Amino acid sequence: MARSSTDTAPSLRDTQPFPPLPATDADVSTSARRNPAQIRTVVVYLRTANAGADGRHILQRQRAELQGEIDFQGYTVAAWIEDRHQSATTLDRPGLREALRLLASGYVDALICTDIGRLTRSAEVILQLAAHMDDYGWDLLTLETGGAPTALNLDRRGSAAASPQRA
């Protein structure tokens, strides 16, 4: 059923604790929270915009790649979270909301996904995630550099860059 222009979806801010966007670029931290060797517990995030068999294959491929890295690094997985048939241009995704709740708990060190495109394709969402990272002290790891984890760093203009993490 299509949503009419008068319907309003519940705001992400109404459904979970989530900080407002930073007021200035200076409010966005550019430093990683911890040394990669200190990361022990992760939330694994998988996403696809595709439906049906294509979507299932994409999620299976992501899961296999991430499982290999998790085994290699010796991470403990707090949760495997999937968003099926979801756009990467918003934070308003059931799985991502759950992942952010877990990360805000303080019991999880990092969110891991195959690449930044699985998490977001929006500069605004990157800034919101960076603010959440700063407020709750978690790290973002991706496999974008040939299987080595990377951390999301933001430059003063709010541009995302993946920088390799070395153990």
Side-chain angles (χ1 to χ4, degrees):
M1 175 163 137
R3 183 177 290 263
S4 75
S5 61
T6 59
D7 290 344
T8 58
S11 166
L12 182 59
R13 294 179 204 283
D14 296 336
T15 60
Q16 72 170 21
F18 199 77
L21 283 173
T24 67
D25 290 339
D27 292 340
V28 178
S29 171
T30 59
S31 63
R33 271 124 221 86
R34 57 183 64 81
N35 179 314
Q38 296 172 317
I39 294 174
R40 296 287 178 238
T41 305
V42 297
V43 171
V44 185
Y45 182 75
L46 305 96
R47 184 199 62 82
T48 183
N50 298 46
D54 287 341
R56 284 191 302 276
H57 292 299
I58 291 168
L59 291 173
Q60 288 171 350
R61 186 174 61 240
Q62 289 176 46
R63 184 177 287 272
E65 290 173 13
L66 289 163
Q67 186 64 61
E69 185 65 24
I70 289 163
D71 292 345
F72 178 74
Q73 296 291 342
Y75 297 140
T76 298
V77 175
W80 286 83
I81 296 178
E82 295 181 357
D83 269 324
R84 294 180 183 212
H85 202 175
Q86 296 288 318
S87 169
T89 60
T90 179
L91 285 176
D92 194 16
R93 294 175 252 159
L96 185 55
R97 283 195 309 265
E98 178 61 22
L100 292 173
R101 275 192 286 277
L102 289 169
L103 291 159
S105 75
Y107 294 107
V108 180
D109 301 318
L111 177 76
I112 187 169
C113 57
T114 55
D115 60 80
I116 194 69
R118 293 294 126 204
L119 192 57
T120 184
R121 297 188 186 273
S122 160
E124 179 180 346
V125 172
I126 287 173
L127 288 173
Q128 290 173 324
L129 288 169
H132 197 274
M133 288 170 68
D134 285 345
D135 284 353
Y136 295 103
W138 54 272
D139 288 302
L140 171 63
L141 304 174
T142 70
L143 306 181
E144 291 177 306
T145 56
T150 61
L152 177 69
N153 291 319
L154 296 178
D155 66 20
R156 295 290 176 200
R157 295 177 308 280
S159 300
S163 62
Q165 292 286 316
R166 293 196 170 54

